[in-house]
């Protein structure tokens, strides 16, 4: 059925709150909900298992073999293979309730799937079964919103410093596997110039390019200045930046556009910052950044691998948006 007549959007009913979403072919999977599914017919299938932890977020490894379930502002997490527990995780409890759980899954360039998280101290990144070893000297950085690049070469951290102030850092994983202290440095982004404003969100576009949303609050003219830009690791600089007059929120990459989730979904052109399409009748949380606002969760969303459909958790189910052709 259509949602309030909004073209390109339809609604799937759910028997309980949807707390994670991932596409498995043309089916939708909620791993936090024990693996319950919605088929192409829109009918919900029961979960295969139940866990007792109060988790509200989940990740699935690129192969689909492993899942990670966790609480966005909690301490504990589980790594599962199917319905079998593989490993329990705990992050440092220092200010854990104030920022998003630092965890990601990805594939290294040699084909190994890895888990990246901060098991001992909020500023100490680790990968998998201690692939990173050696003496560590972490900086006072709260890593968060981690993401492995599509080519497996780099790690993105869109975390924050104690001002609070949102930042973005990128680390070379090849180097980190040789010398774990690489993860304690400032990464491969330039220390001076370039990314000067507060970073509120970021995502990988490909192995070289990042989409980065920045904002300056309380500027001299009394207005908030917001920008959406594309940063190239190879060039060490912006490929382009555009001013925007709306809050971008969480970013999801889609070719030369991004889906921006704040209040409602928008499809934004990266070259101009213009809104290509938007769906004001599909509500998402007004969340910006990785810290603060404990009562405002990150939107639960999943983009299909072919880029044609976006699924978003709603209070009573799932909204699926058919995106315009690229």
């Amino acid at each position: 059925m259509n949602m309030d007549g909004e073209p390109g959007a339809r609604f799937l009913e759910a028997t309980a709150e949807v707390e994670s979403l991932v596409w498995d072919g043309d089916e939708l999977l909620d791993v936090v909900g024990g693996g319950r599914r919605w088929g192409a017919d829109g009918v919900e299938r029961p979960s295969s298992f139940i866990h007792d932890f109060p988790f509200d977020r989940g990740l699935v490894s690129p192969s689909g073999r492993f899942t990670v379930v966790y609480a966005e502002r909690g301490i504990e997490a589980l790594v599962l293979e199917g319905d079998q527990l593989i490993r329990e995780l705990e992050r440092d409890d220092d200010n854990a309730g104030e920022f998003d759980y630092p965890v990601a899954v990805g594939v290294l360039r040699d084909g190994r799937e890895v888990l990246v998280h901060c098991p001992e101290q909020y500023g100490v990144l680790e990968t998998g079964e201690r692939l990173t070893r050696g003496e560590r000297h972490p900086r006072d950085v709260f890593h968060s919103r981690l993401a492995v690049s599509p080519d497996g070469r780099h790690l993105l951290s869109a975390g924050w410093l104690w001002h609070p102030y949102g930042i973005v850092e990128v680390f070379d994983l090849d180097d980190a596997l040789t010398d774990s202290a690489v993860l304690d440095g400032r990464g491969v982004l330039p220390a001076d110039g370039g990314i000067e404003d507060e970073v509120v969100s970021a995502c990988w576009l490909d192995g070289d390019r990042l989409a980065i949303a920045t904002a300056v609050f309380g500027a001299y003219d009394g207005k908030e200045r917001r920008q959406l830009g594309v940063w190239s690791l190879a060039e060490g600089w912006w490929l382009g930046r555009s001013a925007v007059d709306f809050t971008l929120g969480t970013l999801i990459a889609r070719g030369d556009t991004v889906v921006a989730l704040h209040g409602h979904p928008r499809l934004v052109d990266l070259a101009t910052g213009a809104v290509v399409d938007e769906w004001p009748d599909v509500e998402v949380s007004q969340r910006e950044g990785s810290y603060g606002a404990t009562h405002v969760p990150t939107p639960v969303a999943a983009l299909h691998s072919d880029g044609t459909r976006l699924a978003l958790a709603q209070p009573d189910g799932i909204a699926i948006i058919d995106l315009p052709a690229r």
Side-chain angles (χ1 to χ4, degrees), residues 11 17 69 151 220:
F11 185 76
E17 182 181 0
V69 291
D151 62 359
Y220 293 118

Side-chain angles (χ1 to χ4, degrees), residues 76-155:
E76 297 175 324
L78 302 179
V79 182
L80 306 168
E81 183 176 4
D83 58 1
Q84 299 299 308
L85 175 63
I86 302 299
R87 185 173 178 178
E88 295 185 16
L89 305 178
E90 281 193 7
R91 67 157 157 171
D92 179 19
D93 62 1
D94 191 353
N95 287 289
E98 301 301 321
F99 69 103
D100 297 348
Y101 202 113
V103 64
V105 289
V107 179
L108 297 176
R109 296 207 293 172
D110 61 10
R112 287 180 291 175
E113 286 193 306
V114 292
L115 167 77
V116 187
H117 68 130
C118 296
E120 294 178 345
Q121 187 175 343
Y122 59 80
V124 181
L125 291 164
E126 295 284 359
T127 56
E129 295 185 10
R130 295 295 172 134
L131 300 180
T132 47
R133 299 177 184 272
E135 187 175 354
R136 304 296 295 271
H137 301 282
R139 296 178 297 119
D140 197 18
V141 174
F142 292 87
H143 292 296
S144 189
R145 298 199 169 188
L146 306 177
V148 177
S149 62
D151 62 359
R153 178 63 188 272
H154 291 99
L155 173 70

Side-chain angles (χ1 to χ4, degrees), residues 191-321:
D192 299 318
I195 305 172
E196 299 172 341
D197 297 336
E198 179 170 14
V199 173
V200 294
S201 56
C203 67
W204 290 107
L205 299 174
D206 51 41
D208 175 60
R209 299 179 304 151
L210 291 165
I212 301 175
T214 62
V216 172
F217 298 92
Y220 293 118
D221 57 5
K223 298 179 180 179
E224 297 179 356
R225 185 173 75 249
R226 302 178 184 275
Q227 290 187 323
L228 175 64
V230 176
W231 182 276
S232 167
L233 297 183
E235 297 294 332
W237 200 255
W238 299 102
L239 297 179
R241 278 185 290 181
S242 302
V244 296
D245 59 1
F246 55 91
T247 304
L248 287 155
T250 301
L251 300 180
I252 301 176
R254 182 185 182 257
D256 291 325
T257 61
V258 290
V259 176
L261 300 176
H262 188 276
H264 66 270
R266 298 173 175 86
L267 187 63
V268 184
D269 184 88
L270 285 166
T272 64
V275 176
V276 177
D277 208 341
E278 60 183 321
W279 297 268
D281 291 335
V282 179
E283 294 186 5
V284 296
S285 64
Q286 296 184 2
R287 177 67 185 283
E288 188 174 21
S290 63
Y291 63 85
T294 57
H295 64 291
V296 184
T298 301
V300 174
L303 180 68
H304 194 280
S305 59
D306 65 10
T308 64
R309 286 161 287 175
L310 177 70
L312 298 130
Q314 299 289 285
D316 299 315
I318 303 170
I320 300 180
I321 295 173

